[in-house]
Amino acid sequence: MVAHSRAETGSRAPDPHVAGARVLVVEARYYDAIADELLTGARAAIEAAGAQAEVVTVPGALEIPAAVAILLDAGGYDAVVTLGCVIRGETGHYDIVAGESARALMDLSVDRRIPLGNGILTVETEAQALARARVAEMNKGGGAAEAALAVLALKRAAAARPR
């Protein structure tokens, strides 16, 4: 099993380990312009891999982990991508939202052995968020999807190995 950089993944054929996979994408639409860019990048990466995206929308980043857990209980998903944005404000709420959403998602991923790409941006300003979200710039939505798919490929390759 070989890890590949993002630059390499864009030029290769879809990994047969992820083709046909069902990817749950849970997005927070609190900042619509940022969410649009994140989702565009994630969808493009999922489609390029030959996988299928099912998108669910929640109000904010704190609702994402619960939505993921509920939908994983319903079954049928091979990987998860989470998208959203938390911009620092004047209070400590930022730290709670950013930290608790990330912690809950990590717990879900490890406990359930589900490949999960965390594309929840945690930034100081809206300008930083847009630069990270835009497909033409940092494309963090695409990066989150690629991360989830890379772990899915690893999981499936490991499962196929002779014991």
Side-chain angles (χ1 to χ4, degrees):
M1 289 176 260
V2 178
H4 298 279
S5 73
R6 285 189 63 219
E8 291 171 328
T9 59
S11 62
R12 296 183 338 194
D15 187 322
H17 287 104
V18 301
R22 284 189 64 208
V23 180
L24 171 63
V25 178
V26 180
E27 64 159 356
R29 302 281 319 166
Y30 196 83
Y31 300 101
D32 284 331
I34 296 164
D36 288 344
E37 287 288 330
L38 289 169
L39 184 58
T40 297
R43 278 189 193 270
I46 292 165
E47 290 171 10
Q52 300 171 345
E54 181 177 322
V55 180
V56 174
T57 301
V58 297
L62 276 179
E63 291 76 38
I64 291 174
V68 169
I70 290 164
L71 293 167
L72 287 177
D73 284 348
Y77 298 105
D78 301 298
V80 176
V81 175
T82 61
L83 305 172
C85 181
V86 184
I87 300 175
R88 186 178 300 279
E90 296 176 5
T91 69
H93 187 65
Y94 167 91
D95 296 312
I96 293 167
V97 174
E100 291 302 314
S101 62
R103 180 203 51 78
L105 291 173
M106 182 61 69
D107 288 350
L108 278 167
S109 179
V110 172
D111 291 347
R112 302 212 187 184
R113 311 289 192 278
I114 187 80
L116 190 146
N118 185 347
I120 300 175
L121 306 178
T122 53
V123 296
E124 300 292 322
T125 67
E126 188 172 349
Q128 288 176 344
L130 285 168
R132 285 158 178 75
R134 283 191 191 108
V135 174
E137 293 184 51
M138 298 176 85
N139 192 17
K140 294 297 185 177
E146 290 172 351
L149 292 168
V151 175
L152 176 60
L154 175 75
K155 179 180 179 177
R156 288 182 169 177
R161 278 191 351 225
R163 298 192 185 255

